[in-house]
Amino acid sequence: MSLRVSRISTRPDQLGESPVWDWQRQRLYWVDGVSRLVRSYDPSTGEFDEWAVPSMVGSIALGKGDTLVVGLADGIYVLDLTTGEVLPVFKPIPADARIRFNDGKTDRQGRFLCGSMGVHADPLGQLFRVGADGSGAVLATGIRISNALCLSPDGETMYFADSLDRAIRAYRYDADEGTISEARVLVDTEPFNSGPDGATVDSDGCLWVALVQVGKIARFTPQGELDRLIDAPTDMPSCVAFGGADMSTLYVTSIKDSGSGRAISRHADGGYLFAIEGLGVSGIRETRFGSAAVARTEMKVQ
């Protein structure tokens, strides 16, 4: 296996995260969480674009029309890519400055799953399911740093991790109800000396995970067995996503300085966006958030 690794971005992110490939526009989107930016890259032209958002941004997902769903510090919003306007979809109340939203993905039905985290890594975070109508539900609690959130190709298994637990859990996901059950530890990442960061699945149903503390990217089978372990292009890979015309390019975001003191790169290329080709596998298309219409609703969290 001969891999081809390219540094894509022309400047580093402070906290690169949440790459997602827009298969209709053939463009990659990702975030620089600390710099409060949503960024994009068009491989056909080499052009970049970016949008400023009002707070730290943890994750994004594809929306309908010219929109993205964004997980900002205090809630879930829709970003209009044409105007730059950011409109609220869902905000838990009461507001709590001790937590912020972090990793997120859409399920196969177009609902946004997004985990919050304790700003100081306290176990205050929750995992939310948010619909385009503004409805929301809490699926899990007691989370310190939410990460590795993604779903199997058939949408019936949800993967999720509290990075500080150093374990990726698999849950049965009820696609009709949007609920989780039957949690089990799929992968113990302690032997790899790293907590799991961002993750994605490929068309074979295998899980690709950024092992942020050791500069590695791992592929695990649906049974949790290590299938492949490769060196990341830099010392702190943060998240991975497949993209490109045939969905065979693995895009990798990375960290320069997370702003928390927990993650500071010592690598010359820390914070850049990379592309890895030649892996011999392909990804799947992410589902768009159910509707671009914005329902201005809030949910009281008990």
Side-chain angles (χ1 to χ4, degrees):
M1 181 178 63
S2 178
L3 301 183
R4 301 179 298 280
V5 180
S6 304
R7 194 179 79 178
I8 300 300
S9 53
T10 56
R11 73 169 195 271
D13 301 307
Q14 293 299 306
L15 178 58
E17 282 283 7
S18 195
V20 60
W21 179 255
D22 188 330
W23 42 273
Q24 291 181 322
R25 292 177 175 80
Q26 293 291 293
R27 178 182 289 265
L28 184 80
Y29 295 93
W30 80 101
V31 309
D32 181 347
V34 170
S35 300
R36 302 182 177 187
L37 292 174
V38 174
R39 304 185 66 188
S40 75
Y41 166 65
D42 184 341
S44 68
T45 64
E47 293 180 351
F48 295 89
D49 205 348
E50 62 185 39
W51 297 261
V53 292
S55 72
M56 192 167 183
V57 52
S59 57
I60 53 175
L62 302 177
K64 285 192 173 182
D66 294 321
T67 68
L68 295 175
V69 183
V70 293
L72 299 185
D74 66 339
I76 309 305
Y77 293 74
V78 164
L79 168 63
D80 188 317
L81 298 172
T82 302
T83 65
E85 187 177 15
V86 178
L87 298 173
V89 175
F90 168 86
K91 293 197 290 184
I93 55 174
D96 191 340
R98 300 174 300 167
I99 62 173
R100 69 171 179 84
F101 280 84
N102 199 47
D103 199 19
K105 289 278 197 315
T106 49
D107 66 11
R108 305 300 175 212
Q109 290 69 42
R111 295 167 293 211
F112 190 51
L113 306 179
C114 194
S116 60
M117 60 173 280
V119 172
H120 301 293
D122 299 317
L124 303 172
Q126 298 175 306
L127 176 61
F128 294 88
R129 184 200 69 235
V130 178
D133 62 354
S135 61
V138 175
L139 303 184
T141 61
I143 301 160
R144 292 172 291 177
I145 302 177
S146 58
N147 267 314
L149 182 57
C150 56
L151 290 102
S152 60
D154 63 10
E156 295 180 359
T157 302
M158 185 193 79
Y159 303 107
F160 183 65
D162 182 333
S163 288
L164 297 185
D165 287 344
R166 294 196 166 190
I168 302 169
R169 288 177 168 78
Y171 300 77
R172 180 182 178 274
Y173 190 75
D174 187 315
D176 293 330
E177 301 296 327
T179 56
I180 58 175
S181 61
E182 301 175 19
R184 69 186 191 279
V185 173
L186 180 76
V187 177
D188 178 5
T189 65
E190 180 65 35
F192 300 95
N193 298 311
S194 179
D197 205 329
T200 192
V201 296
D202 61 28
S203 58
D204 296 326
C206 292
L207 184 70
W208 292 79
V209 182
L211 298 176
V212 63
Q213 291 161 302
V214 292
K216 303 285 187 181
I217 298 169
R219 185 194 198 219
F220 297 100
T221 70
Q223 293 74 40
E225 298 173 354
L226 179 66
D227 176 77
R228 200 178 303 181
L229 186 67
I230 63 175
D231 291 328
T234 184
D235 60 342
M236 288 192 167
S238 55
C239 196
V240 291
F242 283 97
D246 59 0
M247 296 296 291
S248 66
T249 299
L250 187 69
Y251 287 100
V252 183
T253 56
S254 65
I255 299 169
K256 181 177 180 181
D257 185 344
S258 68
S260 66
R262 289 190 293 267
I264 300 175
S265 174
R266 305 301 179 191
H267 195 284
D269 288 337
Y272 282 91
L273 171 72
F274 299 88
I276 302 177
E277 298 175 286
L279 290 165
V281 298
S282 60
I284 60 175
R285 295 175 175 180
E286 295 291 342
T287 306
R288 295 182 179 275
F289 191 54
S291 173
V294 176
R296 304 173 189 274
T297 64
E298 295 183 328
M299 170 185 166
K300 186 172 183 180
V301 178
Q302 302 297 326

